[in-house]
């Protein structure tokens, strides 16, 4: 060892400790640099600053303490790369793609030969829409790892985003040549082939043999020498959306004529030319010769025509005879059977009519008859309407409509349904059962169970819809449940059925009073007094309405002050449960109906309404 090295060895020892005395070239290079160059002095200074030797490594970690060629340095660098790569993956999963690109770039700076890092950054660039950089990273991936299928997938995807579909297809094929069974590459190839096929259909300028076809045609051969024409072709190939703006260019029209095989250039001249005379009308179509049908079918048709003529003359026995003969000659034609059914329908023999229609449907099914004929058989079978058997009529009308929907059959079906519904309603009427339901409703009303009372009154109305008092009773339930519009509707029906029934008027007026419509309420109370001047309920209601109108003219503060002076109101408003219910009603009006099922709560709410503290619309 030279004297120079011996003098500087202590500083080298501080930089790397015993590692600087390794016999390998990697171990000697830093020592030589530290002895002779600025870089070495700077590394030596850094080593001292980090606390050279083992103490420095213990204080500051492996970074800067181990020589670059050592296995410890490589392990530390690999750990830093893995951390950066892991940060990039985490950012990607959280949707922060920009930050993921930054972490992948930091990892690439530490390990520029890692193909996975370039592949991941390519995917991140593609997610950001930077397809040029995505393609560059994908190409670098394949340079580092030419046999990696995902690299080909990344490159092809970037090319697809750049609309370079032919190159993308070639990339997929190249990747499949190296890994034939890769599902991702196979799916990508199928997708790009579909897009290419669609582009070829929609854009004739994207044909692969475009230049060859234009070179072969004398109309466009001379244009190919013009660079501007070639740029025009390239523009229309890459962006077919500009074709509409370029149609004024005669070169484009000529090119389209060549590519589509249609003469387009003379279209304007053809428009100016006089229209040719109309062709002579075609000769009237001749009916198919009778010889095309078998002999039995020809004879069956003749019998059917004879039967139709007799049917129109209402000679039903003769018509039936001809139709029967036609069926015997051609038993595969269901029309002859339905014609016989029509005859029985007109003569009122409905059972025989339905039996023949059923047989006609079977014949039609066996011989694959048109569904419209099947529908006609179902409709004609429906003689139930004539017999006023509307439930069966609706059933078979629906069967006909399922085969073929015609307006005539639909109208008849709706008519039958309406009659059937009315029949069922009338059949449900039973005044005795209505009285039982009314009594049950009265019991529930007295217990304060207004929802259940309303149900019984509704059932009583269905059993006897012409009893005015039932509507009046249900209106009282609606009023207790604060369903004032429904109460008004029932009161009006009660008055319509029995105009002299006093309670119909008083309950209607009470509902209007609760809705603060004092003017109308007073009119109804007055009509009740006109019918019965001694009605105390109407007189008291009229006085309440007068006071209500006077109170309405008072300032809200005065109205509230006077209401809160009432001890009963004070007790209600002092109840924490009632205050909670009122707050809930203000936020959610639908909650009112649930609270009113409790008679005590309903009574308190009615009191607050009477004094004007709350109003329900």
């Amino acid at each position: 060892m030279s004297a120079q090295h011996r003098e500087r060895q202590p500083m080298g020892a501080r930089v790397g400790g015993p590692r600087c005395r390794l016999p390998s070239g990697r171990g000697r290079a830093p020592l030589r640099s530290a002895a002779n160059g600025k870089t070495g002095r700077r590394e030596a200074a850094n080593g001292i600053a980090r606390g050279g030797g083992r103490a420095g490594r213990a204080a500051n970690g492996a970074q800067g303490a181990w020589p670059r060629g050592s296995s410890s340095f490589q392990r530390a660098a690999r750990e830093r790369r893995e951390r950066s790569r892991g940060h990039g993956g985490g950012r990607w999963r959280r949707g922060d793609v920009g930050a993921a690109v930054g972490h992948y770039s930091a990892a690439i700076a530490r390990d520029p030969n890692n193909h996975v890092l370039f592949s991941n950054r390519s995917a991140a660039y593609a997610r950001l829409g930077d397809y040029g950089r995505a393609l560059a990273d994908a190409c670098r991936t394949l340079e580092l790892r030419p046999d990696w299928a995902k690299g080909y997938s990344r490159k092809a995807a970037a090319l697809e985003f750049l609309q370079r579909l032919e190159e993308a297809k070639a990339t997929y094929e190249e990747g499949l040549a190296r890994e034939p069974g890769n599902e991702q590459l196979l799916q990508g190839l199928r997708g790009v082939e579909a897009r290419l096929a669609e582009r070829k259909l929609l854009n004739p300028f994207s044909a692969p043999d475009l230049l060859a076809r234009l070179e072969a045609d004398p109309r466009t051969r001379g244009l190919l020498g013009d660079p501007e024409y070639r740029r025009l072709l390239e523009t229309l190939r890459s962006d077919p959306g500009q074709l509409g703006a370029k149609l004024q260019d005669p070169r484009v029209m000529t090119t389209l004529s060549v590519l589509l095989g249609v003469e387009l250039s003379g279209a304007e001249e053809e428009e100016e030319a006089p229209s040719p005379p109309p062709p002579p009308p075609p000769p009237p179509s001749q009916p198919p010769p009778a010889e095309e049908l078998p002999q039995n079918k020809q004879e069956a048709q003749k019998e059917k025509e004879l039967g139709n003529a007799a049917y129109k003359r209402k000679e039903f026995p003769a018509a039936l005879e001809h139709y029967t003969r036609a069926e015997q000659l051609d038993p595969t034609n269901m029309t002859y059977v339905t014609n016989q059914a029509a005859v029985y329908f007109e003569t009122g023999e409905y059972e025989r009519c339905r039996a023949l229609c059923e047989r006609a449907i079977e014949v039609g099914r066996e011989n694959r008859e048109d569904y419209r004929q099947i529908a006609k058989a179902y409709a004609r079978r429906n003689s139930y309407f004539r017999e006023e058997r509307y439930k069966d009529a609706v059933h078979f009308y629906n069967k006909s409509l399922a085969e073929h929907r015609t307006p005539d059959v639909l109208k008849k079906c709706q008519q039958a349904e309406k009659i059937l519904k009315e029949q069922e309603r009338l059949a449900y009427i039973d005044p005795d059962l209505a009285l039982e339901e009314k009594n049950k409703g009265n019991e529930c009303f007295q217990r304060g169970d207004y929802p259940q009372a309303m149900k019984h009154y509704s059932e009583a109305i269905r059993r006897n819809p012409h009893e005015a008092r039932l509507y009046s009773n249900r209106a009282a339930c609606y009023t207790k449940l604060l369903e004032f519009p429904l109460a008004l509707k029932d009161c009006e029906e009660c008055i319509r059925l029995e105009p002299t029934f006093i309670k119909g008027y008083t309950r209607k007026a009470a509902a209007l009073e609760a809705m603060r419509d004092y003017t109308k309420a007073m009119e109804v109370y007055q009509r009740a007094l006109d019918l019965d001047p001694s009605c105390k309920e109407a007189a008291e209601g009229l006085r309440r309405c007068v006071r209500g109108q006077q109170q309405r003219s008072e300032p809200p503060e005065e109205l509230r002050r006077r209401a809160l002076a009432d001890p009963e109101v004070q007790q209600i408003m002092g109840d924490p449960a009632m205050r909670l219910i009122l707050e809930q009603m203000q936020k959610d009006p639908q909650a009112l109906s649930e609270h009113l099922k409790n008679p005590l709560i309903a009574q308190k709410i009615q009191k607050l309404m009477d004094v004007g503290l709350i109003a329900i619309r």
Side-chain angles (χ1 to χ4, degrees):
M1 181 179 295
S2 65
Q4 185 179 10
H5 284 183
R6 283 195 300 272
E7 290 175 1
R8 296 190 181 273
Q9 187 174 356
M11 184 177 289
R14 284 195 301 272
V15 175
R19 294 180 183 273
C20 295
R21 294 192 296 272
L22 293 174
S24 64
R26 292 180 296 178
R28 289 193 298 273
L31 181 59
R32 196 180 304 115
S33 175
N36 299 313
K38 295 181 180 179
T39 304
R41 286 193 296 273
R42 187 162 58 248
E43 290 179 0
N46 290 339
I48 294 171
R50 294 186 181 99
R54 295 183 181 178
R57 288 193 301 275
N60 301 295
Q63 184 175 1
W66 291 312
R68 286 185 176 273
S70 68
S71 60
S72 298
F73 179 87
Q74 292 174 350
R75 184 169 61 255
R78 185 166 61 251
E79 290 173 358
R80 291 195 299 273
R81 290 194 303 271
E82 292 298 329
R83 284 196 298 273
S84 295
R85 178 183 173 189
H87 290 323
R91 294 287 186 176
W92 174 275
R93 286 188 292 273
R94 289 194 295 272
D96 192 355
V97 185
V101 169
H103 286 297
Y104 288 140
S105 299
I108 288 172
R110 296 188 180 96
D111 188 2
N113 296 322
N114 191 322
H115 64 283
V116 176
L117 297 177
F118 281 100
S119 173
N120 291 352
R121 193 171 69 175
S122 173
Y125 277 138
R127 182 75 173 271
L128 291 174
D130 193 347
Y131 305 125
R133 290 186 178 180
L135 178 60
D137 276 0
C139 292
R140 180 58 179 161
T141 301
L142 292 176
E143 290 176 9
L144 296 173
R145 180 81 180 275
D147 59 341
W148 198 39
K150 183 170 284 190
Y152 291 97
S153 178
R154 298 278 195 229
K155 180 180 177 181
L159 289 169
E160 280 197 72
F161 283 122
L162 293 170
Q163 301 300 319
R164 293 157 62 177
L165 301 183
E166 293 288 351
E167 297 178 56
K169 179 183 177 184
T171 303
Y172 281 127
E173 291 174 344
E174 185 179 356
L176 287 170
R178 293 179 177 271
E179 190 174 335
N182 189 280
E183 185 63 27
Q184 188 175 9
L185 293 176
L186 288 171
Q187 290 182 0
L189 180 60
R190 287 193 290 268
V192 77
E193 285 177 343
R195 293 183 63 187
L196 283 170
E198 182 179 1
R199 176 180 289 184
K200 289 175 184 177
L201 288 174
L202 299 178
N203 184 14
F205 291 92
S206 63
D209 58 343
L210 173 67
L211 296 179
R213 293 171 63 182
L214 297 179
E215 181 70 30
D217 196 289
R219 292 173 291 176
T220 53
R221 186 181 300 122
L223 296 174
L224 290 174
D226 184 1
E228 184 181 352
Y229 176 70
R230 285 184 173 267
R231 285 194 296 273
L232 177 63
L233 293 178
E234 185 60 31
T235 299
L236 294 176
R237 178 201 292 266
S238 59
D239 187 6
Q242 298 190 25
L243 180 59
K246 303 288 186 182
L247 287 177
Q248 301 299 326
D249 192 334
R251 298 174 300 175
V252 175
M253 298 299 294
T254 304
T255 306
L256 284 174
S257 299
V258 174
L259 296 177
L260 300 178
V262 179
E263 185 60 41
L264 300 176
S265 59
E268 294 181 0
E269 291 78 1
E270 290 177 7
E271 289 178 7
E272 296 175 359
S275 58
S285 58
Q286 298 293 331
E291 289 76 18
E292 294 183 3
L293 292 175
Q295 185 66 30
N296 65 320
K297 290 184 180 292
Q298 295 179 37
E299 295 180 4
Q301 286 287 347
K302 292 178 182 178
E303 291 291 341
K304 176 189 173 185
E305 293 171 3
L306 294 172
N308 290 344
Y311 185 89
K312 292 177 181 178
R313 296 192 303 267
K314 297 189 180 299
E315 298 175 0
F316 298 122
L320 181 60
E321 184 179 351
H322 288 299
Y323 291 144
T324 305
R325 177 61 180 161
E327 183 196 0
Q328 293 171 354
L329 292 168
D330 184 8
T332 62
N333 193 330
M334 65 175 290
T335 305
Y336 306 140
V337 186
T338 55
N339 288 351
Q340 296 175 56
V343 173
Y344 286 117
F345 184 84
E346 292 296 334
T347 58
E349 300 180 60
Y350 300 125
E351 288 295 337
R352 300 188 68 176
C353 170
R354 290 192 286 266
L356 284 171
C357 286
E358 193 68 32
R359 184 154 61 87
I361 293 169
E362 294 176 2
V363 172
R365 301 278 193 207
E366 291 173 0
N367 294 279
R368 299 181 181 275
E369 189 60 72
D370 187 358
Y371 58 87
R372 285 172 291 192
Q373 296 296 329
I374 303 292
K376 186 184 292 185
Y378 273 121
R380 185 163 291 173
R381 184 188 192 283
N382 209 349
S383 53
Y384 293 113
F385 194 91
R386 282 276 189 96
E387 296 180 306
E388 298 183 356
R389 296 167 58 180
Y390 297 110
K391 187 173 183 179
D392 294 328
V394 169
H395 174 71
F396 284 102
Y397 278 141
N398 284 325
K399 278 182 172 275
S400 176
L401 292 170
E403 296 290 338
H404 181 58
R405 199 172 186 85
T406 59
D408 182 49
V409 175
L410 179 61
K411 183 179 179 180
K412 290 180 179 178
C413 182
Q414 292 172 346
Q415 184 180 0
E417 287 176 342
K418 183 178 180 180
I419 296 173
L420 178 62
K421 186 176 181 180
E422 180 63 18
Q423 285 183 344
E424 291 175 349
R425 187 188 71 82
L426 294 175
Y428 199 71
I429 293 176
D430 189 334
D432 294 335
L433 293 177
L435 181 60
E436 293 180 8
E437 292 293 333
K438 176 187 174 183
N439 293 333
K440 292 179 182 178
N442 292 342
E443 293 174 2
C444 293
F445 190 91
Q446 292 172 1
R447 293 198 308 268
D449 190 356
Y450 304 121
Q452 192 64 30
M454 182 193 65
K455 291 181 180 179
H456 287 298
Y457 289 141
S458 298
E459 178 63 21
I461 289 173
R462 286 192 289 269
R463 290 292 184 181
N464 190 4
H466 303 296
E467 175 58 47
R469 287 168 175 75
L470 297 176
Y471 292 97
S472 174
N473 291 354
R474 191 170 69 174
C477 290
Y478 282 137
T479 302
K480 292 294 185 180
L481 295 173
L482 305 186
E483 296 285 354
F484 303 122
L486 296 176
L488 287 175
K489 185 178 178 181
D490 273 0
C491 290
E492 289 169 358
E493 182 64 19
C494 171
I495 294 170
R496 187 189 69 82
L497 292 172
E498 191 172 340
T500 60
F501 185 54
I502 297 296
K503 277 196 174 292
Y505 294 96
T506 56
R507 281 173 176 166
K508 179 180 179 179
L512 291 169
E513 181 184 355
M515 296 172 70
R516 301 296 184 90
D517 195 345
Y518 297 118
T519 302
K520 291 184 179 179
M522 286 192 294
E523 292 177 1
V524 179
Y525 278 133
Q526 188 60 50
R527 290 176 62 186
L529 289 172
D530 292 342
L531 292 172
D532 184 5
S534 63
C535 180
K536 294 183 180 179
E537 186 178 356
E540 292 176 359
L542 188 60
R543 286 193 291 271
R544 284 197 308 270
C545 289
V546 172
R547 288 197 302 270
Q549 281 191 327
Q550 294 173 352
Q551 292 173 0
R552 178 174 289 180
S553 61
E554 296 178 1
E557 296 80 5
E558 180 63 21
L559 182 64
R560 179 178 177 82
R561 186 192 62 76
R562 188 166 50 80
L564 291 176
D566 188 336
E568 186 179 355
V569 174
Q570 293 176 0
Q571 183 181 3
I572 294 173
M573 297 303 295
D575 185 355
M578 278 301 301
R579 296 183 67 87
L580 184 63
I581 289 171
L582 293 174
E583 291 176 4
Q584 185 180 6
M585 286 167 51
Q586 188 174 6
K587 295 178 182 178
D588 182 14
Q590 299 296 331
L592 176 62
S593 59
E594 292 295 325
H595 292 304
L596 290 177
K597 293 179 181 179
N598 187 328
L600 295 177
I601 295 175
Q603 183 179 0
K604 293 179 180 179
I605 291 175
Q606 186 65 48
K607 175 63 178 179
L608 296 178
M609 290 175 59
D610 292 340
V611 298
L613 277 183
I614 63 173
I616 298 174
R617 302 292 180 185

